[in-house]
């Protein structure tokens, strides 16, 4: 249980020092160690996508990786997506299109969308579905989420 | 007025959308309290047995462990219409996964280690796992003390039967002979898991005066308050229940379950205690959709007129009553469908089994019964050579018709819904296979659901600056109730929505609401908000008449928070002037309260013979029609939904963006129900309690777009004509898909879910037998 040691993580553009046990996942460290509760624990088995963060720009399940393995990576959590009160354009698109219902999947979903758009600024429907295919949403039926991401591609 | 009121029909994003998308919304598991302990459950490993010994010595002595509790610490029973359920198993366990003990410790790992160290001795008893086993002669009884339990006087029960219900109208027995065609079939449906992305959780913390605060994932802070009070014998005045942001419910977070356990642990330890279930615990312990075995018999004339319907419904209810009687009643009440069938007999039983509880889940019995009835309507249409849309239009209900049981329909867009999905579907060419080995088909299903039930209330206050605060007890599960209720308040006072504050439900401050259940918040709580706002308006008018020295009858509300003299544009006062006067000079602050109980027409005992129903009215009816185009892969058996149209008469769409979201989300959940989602047991053990093995639809598994068609036929009793749309969108999806599969392949699937395996077997069977199955 014990054996915490200090590790340095690059999170949202800043190096932060945080105590972590060898058994802690990145999700544990984000939520409990750093109070970054945007990433959600939906299944803790890497299956729902609610814990997604970007690791070096790629969508990544924070519940599946040990914190100690993430020390040399650039981690972006949902908290780092907005600039203060100014949301990222893809976040604004999610708001405007009515894609957000309960919101529990949204931090992971919007990061998956961001990663897609960074790689492919004008994705078509199938590319969008593929990019968010690992992020479960139980509320929306996905239509308005896909619309939000398409809206970005057409703007 | 004439022009549109502020708020009404505005396509507004949710009020809390920005905090949610920024990751700043606070859900239950995001809350940390100083000194908070974490709790873990020990779950039963056997389906049925007596607890003969329980040794917690080692667990309690572990460093970091603060309390270990068992059923002996919770003497009271709670639950549904029958109070049959302990907080932790007492004397007996009744399903694999039933909570037997709980430990609170400094961290979750220690709590889990503590319960693992407990030694529970069981004397195993024979288990009943199916409806048939539950009803068999000499079946083991789950509840030896069933007669002694407290229960609703309306329930007819006995043995392993939780509820028997029956309703008869007309004379079904003599009607069969007159029919040109009579079909009778059996349908089976399975268990679906709610799978809100947020698992269930609770936190409890006592203050130094002995009052406890309970945060929890819930559909009703007032049910939490009442049930914690009843189960732990704490006065309600000493319990404060709060809902943080809720990560989806779909019916799965209704009653109090973890909350009393968290409260008792907090009481014993003097520390705040958090319980959050793992995904697997959530699947094993919490409720699920009732599996059903349904026999349907329908008689029709050659012109397509439906004249007789018999339905027998058997529901597998799990180890405790939960909402089984209400689900059964709700299902039976929909068994005639939205059609004028003069001769009807519906009856059924819900039974106890040694499985986790079945309970409320979006649709509440309706997806099960409608799968059966709407499949059979299609078979009758095929037999008579009538178009499936046409047979539904010929039989559809209209305003003034009576629902089964006698309730008069006051507003009904049924026919328009059918026509709209038909026209949308037929704008596409007749489905043809995209490639060899695939077949396409089109299917439709109609549905009706209810919104209403029980009581609610609202309080509207005019603040000093003329802006508004509205408080209700309605928890927003994510569906957008907060926004819709603020819009109703804005419309009633004709002020911009951003000048209306909505108070998050908190039993210390919010007016009572029964629950965010039954598609009822917009309709019921919306009525309360409109009523409370009307009372504020009356007081505003009193002040204005006084201040402008005119008669109240001459006053009119003007957009943007003003009141003026009709016909005299320059004579008006802003709300701020009135509210300042009320706060500082005359009358005191302006506030309006409104309470109501669902007051719809009750069952008519002169029209129908009624036995055992746990309610005498349920709600106002909401109509819809859903159509799909499917593609069936003849090699793999996979069924894909490639197009989806979903038309719903919502009375009036307060927020069309949110209405569409409900329709689309429910449709996707319906696709999961129809095709891939199934809780599977090996004997008594749930073998797929993970999202790896329980297949929830992803973005790939649902069509894009799901086309929502909003029909507006205002409901006279609704707020601005609105009705509820939380549940209806799931109801007709499975039968629409089954009907499309029949259209594509000629094969009628009567068992859910329609997995690839089942489809493939049916396709192989057709080839070898040369006909359908």
């Amino acid at each position: 249980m014990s054996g915490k040691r200090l590790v340095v993580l690059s999170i949202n553009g800043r190096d932060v020092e945080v105590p972590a046990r060898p058994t802690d996942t990145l999700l544990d460290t984000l939520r409990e160690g750093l109070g970054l509760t945007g990433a959600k624990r939906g299944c803790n088995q890497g299956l729902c996508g609610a814990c997604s963060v970007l690791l070096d720009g790629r969508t990544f399940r924070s519940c599946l990786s040990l914190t100690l393995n993430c020390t040399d990576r650039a981690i972006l959590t949902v908290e780092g997506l907005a600039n203060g009160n100014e949301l990222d354009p893809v976040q604004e698109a999610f708001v405007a299109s009515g894609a957000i219902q309960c919101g529990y999947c949204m931090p992971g979903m919007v990061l998956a969308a961001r990663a897609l758009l960074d790689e492919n600024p004008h994705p078509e429907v199938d590319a969008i579905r593929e990019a968010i295919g690992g992020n479960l949403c139980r509320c929306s039926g996905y239509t308005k989420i896909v619309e939000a991401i398409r809206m970005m591609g057409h703007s | 007025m004439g022009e549109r009121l502020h708020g009404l029909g505005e396509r507004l994003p949710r009020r809390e959308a920005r905090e949610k998308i920024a990751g700043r919304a606070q859900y239950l598991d995001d809350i940390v309290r100083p000194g908070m302990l974490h709790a873990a459950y020990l779950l039963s490993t056997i389906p049925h047995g007596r607890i003969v010994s329980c040794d917690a010595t080692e667990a309690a002595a572990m460093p970091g462990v603060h309390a270990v509790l068992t059923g002996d610490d919770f003497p009271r029973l709670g639950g549904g219409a029958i109070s049959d359920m302990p907080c932790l198993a007492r004397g007996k366990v009744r399903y694999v996964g039933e909570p037997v003990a709980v430990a609170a410790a400094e961290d979750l790992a220690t709590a889990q280690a503590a319960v693992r160290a407990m030694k529970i001795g069981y004397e195993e008893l024979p288990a009943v796992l199916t409806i048939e086993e539950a009803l068999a002669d000499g079946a083991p009884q789950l509840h030896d003390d069933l007669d002694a339990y407290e229960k609703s006087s309306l329930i007819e029960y006995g043995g392993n039967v939780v509820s028997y219900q029956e309703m008869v109208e007309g004379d079904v027995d003599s009607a069969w002979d007159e029919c040109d065609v009579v079909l009778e079939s059996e349908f089976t449906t399975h268990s679906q898991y709610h799978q809100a992305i947020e698992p269930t959780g609770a936190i409890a913390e006592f203050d130094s005066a002995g009052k406890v605060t309970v945060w929890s994932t819930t559909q009703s802070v007032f049910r939490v308050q009442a049930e914690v009070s009843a189960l732990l014998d704490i006065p309600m005045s000493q319990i404060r229940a709060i809902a943080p942001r809720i990560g989806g419910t779909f019916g799965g977070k209704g009653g109090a379950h973890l909350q009393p356990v968290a409260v008792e642990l907090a009481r014993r330890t003097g520390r705040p205690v958090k319980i959050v279930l793992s995904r697997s615990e959530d699947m094993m312990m919490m409720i699920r959709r009732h599996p059903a075995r349904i026999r349907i018999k329908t008689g029709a004339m050659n012109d397509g007129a439906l004249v007789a319907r018999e339905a027998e419904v058997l529901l597998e209810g799990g180890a405790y009553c939960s909402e089984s009687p209400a689900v059964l009643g709700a299902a039976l009440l929909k068994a005639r469908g939205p059609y004028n069938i003069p001769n009807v007999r519906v009856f059924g039983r819900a039974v106890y089994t040694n499985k986790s509880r079945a309970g409320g889940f979006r649709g509440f019995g309706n997806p099960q019964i409608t799968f059966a009835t709407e499949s059979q309507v299609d078979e009758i249409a095929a037999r008579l050579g009538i178009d499936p849309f046409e047979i539904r239009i010929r039989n559809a209900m209209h305003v003034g018709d009576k629902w089964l049981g006698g309730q008069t329909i006051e507003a009904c867009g049924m026919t328009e819904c059918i026509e709209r999905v038909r026209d949308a579907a037929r704008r596409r060419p007749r489905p043809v296979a995209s490639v060899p080995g695939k077949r396409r088909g089109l299917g439709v299903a109609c549905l009706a659901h209810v919104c209403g039930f029980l009581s609610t209330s609202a309080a509207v206050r005019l603040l000093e600056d003329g802006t508004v605060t509205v408080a209700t007890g309605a928890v927003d599960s994510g569906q957008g109730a907060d926004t819709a209720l603020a819009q109703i308040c804005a419309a009633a006072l004709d002020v911009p929505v951003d000048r209306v504050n909505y108070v998050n439900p908190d039993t210390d401050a919010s007016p009572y609401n029964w629950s965010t259940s039954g598609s009822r918040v917009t309709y019921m709580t919306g009525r309360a908000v409109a009523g409370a706002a009307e009372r504020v308006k009356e007081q505003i008018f009193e002040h204005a008449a006084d201040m402008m020295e005119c008669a109240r009858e001459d006053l009119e509300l003007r957009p943007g928070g003003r009141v003026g003299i009709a016909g005299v544009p320059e004579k008006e006062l802003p709300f701020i002037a009135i509210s300042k006067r009320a706060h500082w000079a005359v009358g005191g602050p302006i506030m309006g309260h409104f309470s109501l109980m669902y007051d719809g027409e009750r069952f008519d005992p002169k029209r129908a013979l009624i036995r055992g129903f746990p309610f005498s009215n349920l709600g106002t009816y909401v109509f819809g029609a859903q159509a799909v185009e499917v593609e069936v892969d003849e090699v793999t058996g996979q069924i894909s939904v490639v197009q989806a149209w979903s038309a719903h008469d919502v009375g009036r769409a307060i927020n069309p963006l949110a209405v569409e979201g409900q329709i689309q989300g429910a449709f996707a959940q319906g696709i999961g129900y129809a095709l891939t989602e199934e809780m599977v047991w090996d004997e008594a053990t749930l073998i797929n309690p993970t999202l790896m093995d329980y297949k929830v639809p992803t973005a790939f598994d649902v069509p894009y777009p799901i086309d929502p068609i909003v029909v507006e036929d205002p409901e006279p009793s609704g707020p601005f004509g609105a009705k509820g749309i939380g549940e209806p969108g799931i109801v007709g999806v499975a039968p629409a898909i089954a009907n499309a599969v029949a259209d594509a392949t000629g094969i009628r699937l009567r068992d859910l879910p329609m997995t690839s395996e089942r489809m493939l077997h049916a396709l192989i069977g057709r080839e070898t037998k040369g006909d359908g199955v």
Side-chain angles (χ1 to χ4, degrees):
Chain A
M1 292 303 112
S2 60
K4 279 194 184 185
R5 60 168 154 150
L6 278 180
V7 297
V8 178
L9 298 174
S10 162
I11 297 182
N12 301 331
R14 276 179 49 216
D15 282 351
V16 294
E17 215 175 42
V18 58
R21 285 174 286 249
T23 52
D24 284 349
T25 64
L26 180 58
L27 182 63
D28 295 332
T29 301
L30 290 174
R31 292 183 56 84
E32 283 121 50
L34 295 164
L36 293 171
T37 54
K40 300 298 179 207
R41 201 184 298 276
C43 69
N44 216 35
Q45 292 176 313
L47 299 166
C48 74
C51 68
S52 300
V53 299
L54 299 191
L55 218 58
D56 296 333
R58 304 187 75 92
T59 315
F60 192 84
R61 310 300 169 104
S62 65
C63 75
L64 283 187
S65 184
L66 297 176
T67 300
L68 298 185
N69 289 340
C70 298
T71 48
D72 299 323
R73 319 286 292 271
I75 301 163
L76 183 74
T77 73
V78 70
E79 289 89 348
L81 200 51
N83 181 12
N85 285 328
E86 192 186 323
L87 296 182
D88 183 276
V90 69
Q91 291 175 305
E92 290 288 0
F94 271 66
V95 171
S97 62
I100 303 160
Q101 292 196 26
C102 88
Y104 213 73
C105 71
M106 280 293 144
M109 189 73 80
V110 77
L111 285 169
R114 181 72 269 164
L116 167 69
L117 290 162
D118 286 345
E119 213 174 81
N120 173 5
H122 306 287
E124 288 309 318
V125 170
D126 278 349
I128 296 171
R129 288 163 130 185
E130 190 173 317
I132 63 168
N135 292 74
L136 294 179
C137 171
R138 194 55 154 168
C139 294
S140 71
Y142 304 102
T143 294
K144 291 188 189 303
I145 294 172
V146 175
E147 272 167 15
I149 302 171
R150 284 187 84 192
M151 195 192 296
M152 289 290 298
H154 295 143
S155 63
Chain B
M1 279 176 254
E3 304 137 53
R4 204 177 67 174
L5 297 163
H6 273 293
L8 199 60
E10 275 190 62
R11 298 176 66 85
L12 293 177
R14 278 168 181 54
R15 306 169 69 78
E16 72 289 358
R18 298 178 74 83
E19 77 174 34
K20 284 178 173 172
I21 200 68
R24 286 155 67 162
Q26 193 174 50
Y27 299 84
L28 187 278
D29 197 24
D30 302 333
I31 299 173
V32 177
R33 301 294 303 168
M36 186 171 80
L37 303 176
H38 299 263
Y41 281 106
L42 178 70
L43 307 184
S44 169
T45 52
I46 63 166
H48 198 192
R50 291 185 202 290
I51 300 172
V52 291
S53 64
C54 172
D55 182 358
T57 326
E58 191 187 335
M62 288 171 72
V65 173
H66 288 251
V68 178
L69 304 181
T70 66
D72 290 342
D73 297 295
F74 295 92
R76 296 181 172 216
L77 299 175
I82 301 175
S83 281
D84 56 5
M85 190 171 79
C87 295
L88 298 174
R90 275 177 64 78
K92 239 182 157 185
V93 290
R94 295 185 175 88
Y95 66 94
V96 174
E98 179 167 11
V100 175
V102 67
E106 294 289 341
D107 56 60
L108 183 59
T110 306
Q112 287 167 337
V115 291
R116 273 199 303 271
M118 292 186 70
K119 295 174 190 69
I120 309 289
Y122 296 112
E123 174 197 323
E124 258 196 86
L125 297 168
V128 295
L129 300 175
T130 63
I131 294 168
E132 296 71 29
E133 288 174 19
L135 293 173
D137 284 341
Q141 302 293 293
L142 268 84
H143 293 273
D144 311 318
D145 299 328
L146 185 56
D147 286 326
Y149 292 154
E150 262 183 58
K151 58 182 78 67
S152 155
S153 61
L154 300 170
I155 303 276
E156 288 191 26
Y157 67 94
N160 285 327
V161 175
V162 182
S163 176
Y164 174 83
Q165 298 171 42
E166 179 175 4
M167 192 178 291
V168 182
E169 283 186 5
D171 183 355
V172 77
D173 289 328
S174 16
W176 303 123
D177 290 341
E178 299 160 21
C179 296
D180 293 322
V181 55
V182 176
L183 292 186
E184 182 173 9
S185 302
E186 188 170 295
F187 297 82
T188 66
T189 70
H190 61 301
S191 204
Q192 184 183 23
Y193 166 57
H194 301 70
Q195 216 280 129
I197 310 286
E198 179 197 40
T200 314
I203 298 172
E205 176 176 347
F206 279 83
D207 69 13
S208 53
K211 178 175 170 179
V212 65
T213 299
V214 189
W215 297 261
S216 62
T217 60
T218 181
Q219 294 165 219
S220 171
V221 289
F222 289 93
R223 295 332 304 152
V224 171
Q225 186 188 42
E227 290 178 30
V228 168
S229 169
L231 284 160
L232 301 181
D233 196 19
I234 301 172
M236 285 171 70
S237 57
Q238 292 291 90
I239 301 164
R240 177 187 184 194
I242 299 174
R245 294 287 177 224
I246 305 295
T249 62
F250 315 107
K253 294 170 180 169
H257 187 72
L258 313 183
Q259 293 92 336
V261 175
V263 170
E264 188 59 24
L265 285 169
R267 180 153 73 173
R268 299 286 179 101
T269 61
R271 299 269 290 268
V273 175
K274 178 192 267 190
I275 312 178
V276 176
L277 298 186
S278 72
R279 180 56 59 188
S280 294
E281 287 170 338
D282 203 73
M283 292 185 80
M284 292 169 72
M285 276 172 61
M286 302 308 290
I287 59 173
R288 59 190 168 89
R289 191 185 296 286
H290 287 82
R293 218 179 73 197
I294 300 170
R295 185 179 57 79
I296 295 280
K297 185 176 178 185
T298 306
M301 308 307 291
N302 280 329
D303 65 359
L306 304 173
V307 293
R309 161 73 49 84
E310 187 168 83
E312 181 181 7
V313 177
L314 299 173
L315 297 181
E316 187 260 296
Y320 297 100
C321 172
S322 184
E323 291 149 299
S324 285
V327 171
L328 176 63
L332 292 174
L333 206 53
K334 314 302 185 321
R336 195 191 71 177
Y339 306 120
N340 289 305
I341 307 178
N343 303 291
V344 180
R345 177 173 182 242
V346 299
F347 61 104
R349 283 169 286 187
V351 302
Y352 285 124
T353 57
N354 289 109
K355 288 184 176 170
S356 64
R357 297 165 299 150
F361 189 158
R362 189 181 226 163
F364 213 75
N366 204 351
Q368 294 96 316
I369 190 72
T370 300
F371 170 63
T373 56
E374 282 299 292
S375 294
Q376 193 159 79
V377 167
D378 242 50
E379 290 183 89
I380 286 175
R383 182 72 68 91
L384 295 173
I386 300 175
D387 174 76
F389 293 96
E390 184 54 34
I391 195 170
R392 291 175 166 87
I393 291 172
R394 278 187 212 174
N395 289 283
M397 297 182 76
H398 297 96
V399 170
D401 289 339
K402 302 273 191 190
W403 194 265
L404 179 63
Q407 183 179 339
T408 309
I409 300 303
E410 307 279 357
C412 180
M414 186 69 253
T415 303
E416 189 183 341
C417 287
I418 305 170
E419 291 170 346
R420 295 276 297 273
V421 289
R422 179 195 62 194
D423 296 348
R426 294 222 165 126
R427 269 198 289 277
R428 279 171 60 81
R430 171 88 201 142
V432 286
S434 57
V435 288
K438 297 201 176 188
R439 289 174 169 275
R440 287 203 173 195
L442 182 67
V444 61
C446 287
L447 64 116
H449 200 68
V450 287
C451 61
F453 210 47
L454 295 173
S455 70
T456 190
S457 55
V460 174
R461 293 187 291 132
L462 193 64
L463 306 179
E464 274 186 71
D465 66 351
T467 61
V468 182
T469 276
V470 55
T472 80
V475 172
D476 191 327
S477 342
Q479 83 281 35
D482 291 8
T483 309
L485 294 173
Q487 287 178 261
I488 289 169
C489 183
L493 294 170
D494 207 4
V495 296
V497 181
D498 61 10
R499 283 192 226 165
V500 178
N501 169 53
Y502 185 85
V503 180
N504 272 1
D506 174 342
T507 54
D508 263 10
S510 305
Y512 177 85
N513 177 53
W514 167 59
S515 182
T516 298
S517 304
S519 306
R520 67 191 287 278
V521 170
T522 299
Y523 174 72
M524 287 296 289
T525 312
R527 287 169 69 182
V529 168
E534 184 62 29
R535 287 178 180 168
V536 165
K537 186 177 130 186
E538 285 165 15
Q539 294 167 63
I540 290 172
F541 276 27
E542 260 175 52
H543 280 276
D546 212 14
M547 292 162 79
M548 292 192 283
E549 297 181 330
C550 65
R552 279 188 49 171
E553 300 71 47
D554 296 336
L555 291 169
E556 64 180 9
L557 213 50
R558 291 182 185 166
R562 296 168 300 150
V563 57
I565 300 177
V568 191
E570 67 279 11
K571 289 285 276 182
E572 66 173 28
L573 287 167
F575 285 2
I576 184 172
I578 290 164
S579 197
K580 288 278 185 209
R581 179 177 193 253
H583 277 84
W584 296 100
V586 179
I590 292 173
M591 52 201 293
H593 291 93
F594 197 92
S595 297
L596 75 154
M597 177 68 71
Y598 176 67
D599 49 1
E601 220 173 337
R602 291 178 185 279
F603 292 152
D604 178 358
K606 291 203 274 301
R607 178 187 165 96
L609 176 151
I610 298 156
R611 275 183 62 185
F613 273 70
F615 46 76
S616 61
N617 65 5
L618 204 53
T620 294
Y621 283 86
V622 185
F623 300 89
Q626 302 180 293
V628 294
E629 185 183 319
V630 302
E631 184 165 88
V632 179
D633 186 321
E634 293 185 301
V635 177
T636 64
Q638 186 177 20
I639 300 167
S640 309
V641 179
V642 291
Q643 295 284 330
W645 302 272
S646 198
H648 298 272
D649 170 18
V650 302
R652 177 81 179 253
I654 301 294
N655 183 337
L657 200 60
V659 167
E660 291 166 7
Q662 287 303 295
I663 293 172
Q664 290 163 336
F667 207 104
Q669 209 166 38
I671 290 174
Y673 180 55
L675 298 180
T676 58
E677 292 183 43
E678 182 178 21
M679 299 176 79
V680 181
W681 286 265
D682 177 12
E683 296 289 321
T685 305
L686 181 68
I687 56 168
N688 60 341
T690 76
L691 297 182
M692 181 70 88
D693 300 317
Y694 182 87
K695 178 73 173 103
V696 171
T698 69
F700 270 121
D701 304 310
V702 300
Y704 173 83
I706 295 167
D707 186 6
I709 300 169
V710 178
V711 171
E712 294 184 298
D713 188 351
E715 160 63 35
S717 63
F720 301 101
K723 295 195 268 198
I725 188 62
E727 297 170 276
I730 197 173
V731 174
V733 178
I737 293 174
N739 293 340
V741 167
D743 184 49
T745 64
I747 292 170
R748 171 60 56 184
L749 296 177
R750 296 196 182 87
D751 304 297
L752 291 181
M754 295 174 276
T755 56
S756 301
E757 188 182 15
R758 236 176 209 147
M759 185 75 243
L760 190 61
H761 281 147
L763 286 161
I764 293 166
R766 181 187 60 179
E767 270 170 34
T768 52
K769 284 189 298 186
D771 63 9
V773 290

